[in-house]
Amino acid sequence: MNKNALIFVGLFVFLLILIVFSMSWGRFSIPVIEVIHTLLLQNANETQHAIIFNLRLPRIFAAILVGGALAIAGVTYQGIFRNPLVSPDILGVSNGACVGAAIAILLGTNIFGIQVFAFLGGLCAVMLTMNLPRLIKRDSTIILVLSGIIVSGFMLSTLGLIKYLANPETQLADIVYWQLGSLTKANFHHLIMLSPIIISTALLLYLLRWRINVLSLGDREARLIGANIRMERHIMVINATLLTSAAVCLSGTIGWLGLIIPHLSRLFIGDNNLNSLPLAAMIGAIFLLIIDTLARNLYIQEIPLGILTGFIGAPFFAWVLIKQNTLK
């Protein structure tokens, strides 16, 4: 078994252990052996059964899906834009999706309507970010990042206006929930609605990951290979945006994950997206499951995920940058 396979197997085993531990640890602690018996339907304790299957298991599945989705979206964006600094957050996709979800909440739509509006908001944000460098006729890494900051700032201002207009008794709490990020409302109904979108778009990007390698070579080299750059880039942007929007619908906005996990994956396994994309999905799932488990246990009240990812993600990303500079 080669090194890459060992890393995947090791992380998968760690994820399984983490799942069991996450089901055990909480306000109502359940011994690990009782968790295993409950999963095997050999536990007659109805309280433990209800806590595991109705509360903790949906959150665990949601954390795995959202963490993996944001990591895959981050790898895709960084690859097709040939820019290690871009992510769903930097490009404005997350904030755009959050604005779309907030508009849907104001209109009183169901979860499907929120998904549609979140996708449209995220797509609008990334298209604005992609076209701003063309308007000023300067196509470079720093200009793309600055364009993302501009669009993100505009989306945050729009979100602030929506929060001001929202009904504080019925709508404001839901919008704040989307903005700060949480898996409190994750349940099997939402998972059934959103997991097919997340899994199908993630699977498509997984199958196209070798084309991400092609696009990351640069426009001239990609054309020589025979790639239809415009079409392939748009297909990947749409799928990565849909993936991010579905994740936002499930968890709200969670920063840093789509930026730092692709870097960590490349540190482990190299720049080849054939390997780094699936590894990033695994690491992203593990990372968010750890964050969510800490969020519901560190304090009396549940801590929003966006706060914890910010405290952990910022210094971690600084370490990644220092590590990469040291290796050069």
Side-chain angles (χ1 to χ4, degrees):
M1 188 179 291
N2 60 30
K3 176 188 173 183
N4 292 351
L6 282 173
I7 292 174
F8 275 101
V9 171
L11 287 175
F12 182 72
V13 172
F14 179 65
L15 178 61
L16 293 179
I17 295 171
L18 187 60
I19 288 171
V20 175
F21 174 75
S22 183
M23 282 188 281
S24 173
W25 191 27
R27 299 276 189 275
F28 185 91
S29 181
I30 303 174
V32 171
I33 190 66
E34 295 297 330
V35 169
I36 296 172
H37 286 162
T38 302
L39 293 175
L40 296 174
L41 303 179
Q42 296 175 353
N43 188 353
N45 189 316
E46 294 183 1
T47 302
Q48 292 180 357
H49 188 278
I51 289 173
I52 289 175
F53 282 100
N54 296 337
L55 296 177
R56 292 181 186 170
L57 204 55
R59 288 190 68 146
I60 289 169
F61 285 149
I64 291 171
L65 285 173
V66 172
L70 293 177
I72 290 173
V75 171
T76 303
Y77 285 131
Q78 289 178 14
I80 62 178
F81 291 121
R82 294 178 289 124
N83 187 340
L85 296 178
V86 302
S87 69
D89 314 315
I90 299 297
L91 292 175
V93 180
S94 296
N95 288 329
C98 196
V99 167
I103 293 172
I105 291 170
L106 281 184
L107 297 176
T109 64
N110 57 16
I111 188 68
F112 178 75
I114 292 175
Q115 167 65 33
V116 172
F117 275 85
F119 170 67
L120 292 175
L123 189 61
C124 178
V126 77
M127 289 303 176
L128 285 172
T129 301
M130 290 172 62
N131 284 290
L132 269 177
R134 296 177 186 173
L135 290 176
I136 60 177
K137 298 179 180 179
R138 290 184 63 189
D139 189 10
S140 66
T141 296
I142 189 64
I143 293 299
L144 182 64
V145 172
L146 290 175
S147 298
I149 293 172
I150 292 169
V151 173
S152 292
F154 177 76
M155 291 298 173
L156 283 175
S157 298
T158 305
L159 186 62
L161 177 62
I162 293 172
K163 287 165 65 178
Y164 178 76
L165 297 174
N167 188 320
E169 296 181 1
T170 59
Q171 298 171 329
L172 186 58
D174 287 336
I175 295 174
V176 172
Y177 164 85
W178 292 110
Q179 188 176 13
L180 294 179
S182 175
L183 292 170
T184 304
K185 296 183 179 180
N187 55 48
F188 281 118
H189 173 69
H190 289 167
L191 286 172
I192 291 171
M193 291 282 292
L194 296 171
S195 58
I197 299 171
I198 293 175
I199 293 171
S200 60
T201 50
L203 181 60
L204 181 60
L205 290 173
Y206 172 81
L207 295 174
L208 292 173
R209 67 194 189 283
W210 68 281
R211 303 303 294 179
I212 299 176
N213 281 344
V214 172
L215 294 177
S216 65
L217 295 173
D219 291 357
R220 182 174 177 275
E221 290 80 2
R223 286 194 183 94
L224 290 175
I225 295 173
N228 187 333
I229 297 173
R230 185 178 181 85
M231 184 187 74
E232 292 183 15
R233 184 171 288 158
H234 276 84
I235 288 173
M236 291 181 191
V237 165
I238 289 171
N239 276 277
T241 303
L242 184 56
L243 189 59
T244 303
S245 302
V248 167
C249 279
L250 202 52
S251 66
T253 305
I254 300 175
W256 289 100
L257 197 152
L259 178 63
I260 64 173
I261 298 302
H263 284 271
L264 184 59
S265 175
R266 287 192 290 269
L267 279 178
F268 273 114
I269 215 165
D271 293 332
N272 189 345
N273 289 293
L274 291 174
N275 298 318
S276 65
L277 187 144
L279 182 64
M282 182 74 73
I283 297 174
I286 291 171
F287 178 78
L288 191 57
L289 183 53
I290 292 173
I291 292 295
D292 184 58
T293 303
L294 293 174
R296 58 185 174 83
N297 288 288
L298 285 179
Y299 189 59
I300 300 173
Q301 296 178 344
E302 184 170 321
I303 303 172
L305 296 177
I307 294 175
L308 283 180
T309 55
F311 278 124
I312 296 173
F316 185 80
F317 185 57
W319 175 83
V320 168
L321 293 178
I322 293 170
K323 183 75 173 176
Q324 286 182 331
N325 190 54
T326 303
L327 293 174
K328 290 181 179 179

